[in-house]
C-alpha cells in the first residue's frame, strides 16, 4: 500500500515509516519540521518526503493523491506547561486532524490509523473492597501537598486497588492535551460514519525508546530520566515513585500501526471507529523504571522528591487484549531489554517544545 504518514519525521513517526518500509509498503511522509520540534535536520528517511503542515488543505490535498491509507502521527504531545498551551494543542491536534479528514473525504481515501493516547481515560481502573469498580475524582492539592497520593473511593474514602483499563472504560480527560486526543477520536468516528471509512485510534501508553526528544517539558518521563543521566544527574522521581505505568517500546508501537493498517484492505471501509490500547502488558512503577534505567546507564540512583504536577494521574495501565486478539499483535521488546538499550541510546535534540 501507498501510505501517507503525517508527522513521519518525529520520534514515533520515523519508526512507523521504517516498519512500513520493512513490511513492503510505500510510505509518504508529511512533516512540518517546525524548528521548535526539529532544531536540527532530522535523520534521513527511506521514503518520499513532503515538507508541509497538516493544517494546510492544499498540502494535504497534494499528499493524498494516489494514497491508499493514512497513518496520522502528527500532533503536539505531552502534558504541556500551563493552560496557555491550549490554543497550540487545539490547533495542532484537532484542527490538523479535521483538515486531514476533510481532505481524505474529498480524495476518497477511506482507511485511517491515528495516534491516540491513554490520557483519554484520566485515572485508570480502580476497585473498592466495598463498592467494586469506582472512578475516583481528580486528586486535590491539599492531599498531594501532604503526600497523600493514592486516590480514595469516592463513596467511602477507602483505599483502592488499581487494575488494567480496557477500551470500553469511560473517557475522562483531565488536561488540555488529553481533551484534544479524545476530540481527535470523535472527529475520526464522525468521518468514518459520514464517508463509510474505517478509522482506528491506537491509544499509546508510555512510549519510550531510541530517538526520544530530550530536555523538553513535553516529553515523557522516560526522556526526563534519560536526559538527567546523560548530564550525570540523578533522575528526579515525583510523588513517591509508586505510580504505575505501562512502558511500551517505540518499535512495538510502530508494529502496532503496521498491524492496524494491514488489518483490512483499503477500500470503502465499514463506517466504524475502533480504539485499541497499545501497551506492553507489563506494568511497572515510575520509581522502578527510573532505577532500572539508572543501573543500566551506570549513573546515580534516582531521587524521590515528593513533588507533583496537577493534571498527572496516579495509575494508568493498559489492557491490550483487544489489540492482541483482533490484530495478532504482541510486544516483542521486554522491559529490561528495552530499558537497557534506552539507557545508552541516542536522543533527539530539542528546543523545548513539542514534536
Amino acid at each position: 500500500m501507498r501510505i501517507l504518514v503525517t508527522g513521519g519525521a518525529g520520534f514515533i513517526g520515523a519508526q512507523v515509516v521504517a516498519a512500513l518500509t520493512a513490511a513492503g509498503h510505500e510510505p509518504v511522509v508529511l512533516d512540518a519540521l517546525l524548528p521548535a520540534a526539529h532544531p536540527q535536520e532530522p535523520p534521513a528517511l527511506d521514503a518520499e518526503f513532503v515538507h508541509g503542515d497538516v493544517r494546510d488543505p492544499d498540502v494535504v490535498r497534494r499528499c493524498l493523491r494516489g494514497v491508499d491509507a493514512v497513518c496520522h502521527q502528527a500532533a503536539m504531545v505531552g502534558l504541556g506547561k500551563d493552560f496557555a498551551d491550549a490554543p497550540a494543542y487545539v490547533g495542532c491536534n484537532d484542527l490538523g486532524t479535521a483538515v486531514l479528514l476533510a481532505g481524505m473525504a474529498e480524495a476518497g481515501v477511506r482507511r485511517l490509523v491515528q495516534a491516540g493516547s491513554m490520557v483519554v481515560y484520566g485515572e485508570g481502573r480502580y476497585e473498592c473492597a466495598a463498592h467494586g469498580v469506582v472512578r475516583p475524582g481528580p486528586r486535590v492539592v491539599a492531599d498531594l501537598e501532604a503526600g497523600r497520593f493514592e486516590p480514595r473511593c469516592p463513596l467511602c474514602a477507602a483505599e483502592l486497588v488499581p487494575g488494567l483499563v480496557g477500551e470500553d472504560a469511560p473517557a475522562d480527560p483531565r488536561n488540555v492535551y488529553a481533551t484534544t486526543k479524545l476530540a481527535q477520536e470523535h472527529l475520526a468516528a464522525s468521518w468514518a460514519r459520514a464517508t463509510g471509512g474505517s478509522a482506528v485510534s491506537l491509544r499509546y501508553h508510555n512510549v519510550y525508546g531510541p530517538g526520544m526528544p530530550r530536555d523538553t517539558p513535553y516529553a515523557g518521563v522516560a526522556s526526563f530520566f534519560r536526559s538527567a543521566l546523560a548530564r550525570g544527574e540523578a533522575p528526579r522521581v515525583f510523588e513517591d515513585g509508586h505510580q504505575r505505568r505501562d512502558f511500551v517500546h517505540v518499535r512495538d508501537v510502530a508494529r502496532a500501526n503496521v498491524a492496524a493498517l494491514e488489518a483490512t484492505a483499503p477500500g470503502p471501509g465499514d463506517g466504524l471507529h475502533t480504539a485499541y490500547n497499545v501497551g506492553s502488558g507489563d506494568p511497572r512503577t515510575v520509581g522502578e523504571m527510573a532505577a532500572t534505567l539508572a543501573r543500566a546507564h551506570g549513573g546515580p540512583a534516582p531521587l524521590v522528591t515528593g513533588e507533583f504536577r496537577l493534571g498527572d494521574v496516579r495509575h494508568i495501565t493498559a489492557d491490550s487484549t483487544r489489540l492482541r486478539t483482533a490484530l495478532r499483535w504482541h510486544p516483542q521488546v521486554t522491559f529490561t531489554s528495552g530499558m537497557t538499550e534506552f539507557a545508552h541510546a541516542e536522543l533527539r535534540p530539542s528546543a523545548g517544545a513539542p514534536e
Side-chain angles (χ1 to χ4, degrees):
M1 289 188 290
R2 181 173 170 86
I3 300 169
L4 175 63
V5 183
T6 69
F11 164 49
I12 296 176
Q15 293 284 353
V16 171
V17 169
L20 286 169
T21 301
H25 299 292
E26 181 186 356
V28 178
V29 173
L30 170 61
D31 201 298
L33 296 182
L34 299 177
H38 298 276
Q40 297 180 9
E41 189 73 17
L45 296 167
D46 184 18
E48 180 183 338
F49 179 78
V50 177
H51 186 187
D53 197 310
V54 72
R55 293 168 290 185
D56 185 329
D58 292 334
V59 169
V60 168
R61 190 176 295 112
R62 185 169 75 250
C63 289
L64 286 170
R65 292 173 187 157
V67 161
D68 299 303
V70 172
C71 186
H72 182 32
Q73 304 293 317
M76 185 173 181
V77 301
L79 182 62
K81 292 178 287 187
D82 53 46
F83 203 83
D85 288 330
Y89 274 111
V90 173
C92 287
N93 297 355
D94 298 341
L95 175 60
T97 299
V99 171
L100 175 66
L101 292 172
M104 292 174 65
E106 178 184 347
V109 179
R110 297 292 182 260
R111 181 69 180 155
L112 170 72
V113 174
Q114 70 175 359
S117 175
M118 54 85 178
V119 295
V120 301
Y121 298 118
E123 284 285 356
R125 185 180 188 275
Y126 293 89
E127 287 194 31
C128 171
H131 297 102
V133 176
V134 296
R135 293 188 62 78
R139 297 181 294 171
V140 299
V141 172
D143 284 341
L144 297 172
E145 289 179 339
R148 295 187 294 268
F149 301 119
E150 293 292 343
R152 295 280 178 159
C153 176
L155 302 176
C156 67
E159 292 187 6
L160 300 173
V161 177
L164 302 180
V165 61
E167 292 89 349
D168 294 330
D172 186 17
R174 297 190 176 186
N175 55 61
V176 172
Y177 170 60
T179 301
T180 66
K181 296 307 289 184
L182 183 59
Q184 284 184 285
E185 293 196 11
H186 289 320
L187 286 166
S190 296
W191 166 84
R193 285 192 295 269
T195 65
S198 293
V200 168
S201 294
L202 297 175
R203 292 174 177 170
Y204 302 158
H205 281 247
N206 289 75
V207 185
Y208 74 97
M212 282 192 87
R214 66 169 182 257
D215 300 324
T216 164
Y218 300 87
V221 66
S223 176
F224 293 161
F225 295 164
R226 175 66 177 79
S227 296
L229 289 165
R231 297 190 300 268
E233 301 172 0
R236 295 177 62 85
V237 179
F238 280 15
E239 301 187 15
D240 58 4
H242 295 163
Q243 311 94 298
R244 287 162 53 89
R245 297 290 188 269
D246 188 321
F247 298 99
V248 58
H249 197 278
V250 66
R251 289 195 296 272
D252 283 331
V253 170
R255 291 177 46 254
N257 277 273
V258 175
L261 286 161
E262 292 180 343
T264 59
D270 52 20
L272 297 178
H273 169 263
T274 307
Y276 294 99
N277 286 332
V278 184
S280 69
D282 183 19
R284 304 285 179 136
T285 68
V286 172
E288 183 181 7
M289 185 273 284
T292 301
L293 194 59
R295 283 195 302 270
H297 189 273
L303 175 64
V304 179
T305 69
E307 297 171 90
F308 61 87
R309 296 193 308 178
L310 283 178
D312 280 351
V313 298
R314 180 61 175 174
H315 305 294
I316 179 69
T317 53
D319 181 351
S320 299
T321 302
R322 178 183 292 179
L323 180 62
R324 294 170 185 243
T325 302
L327 302 186
R328 309 292 186 190
W329 172 90
H330 296 275
Q332 295 181 348
V333 182
T334 66
F335 175 80
T336 300
S337 64
M339 287 297 167
T340 299
E341 175 198 25
F342 184 54
H344 301 282
E346 186 174 348
L347 302 183
R348 287 175 179 242
S350 173
E355 179 166 297

